Structure formats: structure tokens, C-alpha cells
Amino acid sequence: MNTLAHLSAKFLTGAWFIGAVLMAITIPACAYKIFAALWEDDSPEEEQALYDKPANS
């Protein structure tokens, strides 16, 4: 029983550290994407394309 508890604790510790590393990588990337979108150039041509109806085929 002690071996099972030891192995599961090692696994959970490793999973926690992997999750912490992934968060440390993704949080700055998400923040960069959010702030980059704030200064993105909003051109009227690009915005109009979003509202155009698709052509009939």
C-alpha cells in the first residue's frame, strides 16, 4: 500500500508541474494576443466583408 501511495504521489506531483509549466507558457501568449488585438488596425473593407451575404452558387 505504501508503494502505491508513493507512486501516485509522484505521478500527481509530475502532473502538477507539467500543468504549471503549460500555464506559464500559455498565459503570456494569451495576454499578448489580447493586447495585440487592442491595437489592431480596423479597416472598413475588412469589417464590411464580415457583413456581406455569401453569393448564391
Side-chain angles (χ1 to χ4, degrees):
M1 185 66 180
N2 195 16
T3 304
L4 179 63
H6 181 74
L7 289 176
S8 61
K10 278 191 158 198
F11 173 76
L12 290 174
T13 302
W16 187 90
F17 276 108
I18 289 172
V21 168
L22 289 175
M23 280 196 305
I25 293 170
T26 57
I27 289 173
C30 291
Y32 173 77
K33 190 167 181 80
I34 289 168
F35 286 112
L38 292 176
W39 286 280
E40 191 174 88
D41 183 33
D42 296 330
S43 62
E45 299 88 20
E46 188 176 314
E47 191 171 323
Q48 185 61 34
L50 294 175
Y51 298 109
D52 286 344
K53 293 181 181 176
N56 293 336
S57 54

